[in-house]
């Protein structure tokens, strides 16, 4: 996500590890990316595409959504057939991408490498991009020929494009696909003074997460970014002392 100001304003957080207003927002889970799409759609008077309860995308709506794998690849190739924005020669990847060999172990401001033929920056490297699709290893053997939208269900989502901490040209090819958990942040509801915990995981595609308060001083053994309180807009008023923890 390139627009840090928009992401922070609409979600109430900026999970990025690396500083810099021009740097992309990294460490964003699929569910949070979908939530951002809904929040931005609402802010601009558009129809949110993602269902709050399931995360399913309604393609008939006019709001923001993540690209399908097919859409991402078409954009990355700029309508052509080359493996990279630089053509088919992997030795020229550095013209278009930040990766482990040149990134100095960090992300970089967006649009500081060359764009592809359609003027799209960072389709390779810097940070990987989430796609809307569930991951299916063999999906494209039997998928529709036109505008495939991925399997109907799955356990992981698709990321594309490679990132700043990867090497190897295959990781940056326009055809390379990677499965990743939609969320690895385990959200738990814990009431002070109680011993039991109730699961309210991110798979619920919680809509709110804009009311966020860092728990600095409450869990001093953790970095503040590893101990945050999430309060969903639609939740009823929680009892005094209730703490919602997110374990990154």
């Amino acid at each position: 996500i390139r627009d840090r100001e928009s992401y922070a304003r609409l979600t109430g957080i900026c999970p990025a590890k690396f500083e810099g207003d021009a740097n992309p927002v990294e460490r964003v889970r699929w569910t949070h990316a979908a939530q951002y799409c809904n929040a931005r759609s609402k802010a601009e008077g558009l129809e949110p595409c993602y269902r709050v309860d399931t995360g399913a995308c309604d393609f008939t709506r006019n709001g923001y959504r993540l690209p399908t794998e097919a859409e991402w690849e078409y954009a990355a190739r700029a309508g052509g057939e080359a493996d990279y924005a630089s053509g088919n020669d992997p030795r020229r990847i550095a013209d278009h991408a930040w990766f482990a060999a040149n990134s100095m172990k960090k992300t970089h401001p967006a649009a500081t490498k060359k764009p592809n033929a359609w003027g799209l920056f960072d389709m390779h490297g810097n940070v990987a991009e989430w796609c809307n699709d569930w991951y299916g290893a063999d999906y494209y053997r039997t998928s529709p020929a036109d505008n495939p939208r991925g399997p109907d269900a799955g356990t992981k989502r698709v990321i594309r494009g490679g990132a700043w901490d990867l090497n190897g040209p295959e990781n940056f090819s326009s055809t390379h696909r990677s499965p990743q958990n939609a969320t690895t942040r385990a959200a738990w509801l814990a009431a002070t003074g109680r011993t039991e915990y109730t699961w309210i995981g991110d798979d619920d595609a919680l809509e709110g997460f804009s009311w966020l308060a860092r728990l600095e001083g409450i869990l001093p053994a953790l970095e503040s970014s590893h101990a945050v309180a999430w309060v969903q807009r639609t939740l009823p008023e929680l009892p005094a002392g209730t703490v919602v923890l997110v374990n990154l």
Side-chain angles (χ1 to χ4, degrees):
I1 297 175
R2 179 177 176 181
D3 190 345
R4 282 200 176 199
E5 186 278 330
S6 172
Y7 189 87
R9 173 168 45 82
L10 292 173
T11 67
I13 61 168
C14 183
K17 173 183 177 180
F18 300 106
E19 297 181 356
D21 291 341
N23 286 37
V25 184
E26 89 282 353
R27 302 203 308 175
V28 174
R29 301 302 174 189
W30 187 96
T31 46
H32 299 152
Q35 290 161 355
Y36 169 69
C37 289
N38 274 3
R40 185 158 183 170
S41 296
K42 291 178 181 179
E44 298 183 17
L46 302 174
E47 301 167 326
C49 294
Y50 290 98
R51 285 187 53 171
V52 176
D53 56 345
T54 65
C57 182
D58 185 343
F59 286 86
T60 67
R61 296 195 168 193
N62 65 3
Y64 291 95
R65 62 171 175 82
L66 298 171
T68 65
E69 270 202 277
E71 291 169 340
W72 185 94
E73 185 170 326
Y74 187 68
R77 290 177 181 268
E81 297 182 355
D83 287 338
Y84 311 98
S86 54
N88 287 319
D89 185 354
R91 293 173 296 180
R92 296 177 56 199
I93 293 175
D95 292 343
H96 297 264
W98 294 108
F99 56 103
N102 66 2
S103 69
M104 296 174 286
K105 299 182 179 181
K106 62 182 181 180
T107 63
H108 290 262
T112 51
K113 289 288 187 176
K114 292 181 180 180
N116 70 6
W118 282 356
L120 301 176
F121 294 89
D122 297 318
M123 296 300 289
H124 309 287
N126 214 8
V127 294
E129 288 89 40
W130 283 113
C131 293
N132 187 73
D133 307 34
W134 290 108
Y135 178 80
D138 300 322
Y139 171 72
Y140 291 104
R141 293 182 180 179
T142 58
S143 68
D146 296 327
N147 296 321
R149 294 176 175 174
D152 293 331
T155 58
K156 296 185 177 183
R157 298 282 184 172
V158 177
I159 57 170
R160 291 281 202 126
W164 61 272
D165 58 346
L166 295 175
N167 266 323
E170 68 280 358
N171 289 310
F172 304 94
S173 168
S174 298
T175 61
H176 184 70
R177 318 168 60 224
S178 297
Q180 191 163 118
N181 292 329
T183 174
T184 58
R185 297 183 176 188
W188 299 86
L189 177 65
T192 301
R194 296 169 60 185
T195 57
E196 66 269 25
Y197 294 84
T198 304
W199 173 249
I200 58 165
D202 286 299
D203 288 340
D204 295 331
L206 302 181
E207 180 182 21
F209 88 88
S210 65
W211 295 354
L212 177 148
R214 296 192 181 279
L215 302 182
E216 286 144 348
I218 296 178
L219 294 176
L222 296 175
E223 295 178 12
S224 61
S225 62
H226 287 194
V228 294
W230 300 84
V231 180
Q232 186 187 13
R233 291 191 191 95
T234 55
L235 280 177
E237 184 175 353
L238 297 173
T242 298
V243 176
V244 181
L245 298 180
V246 176
N247 177 24
L248 300 181

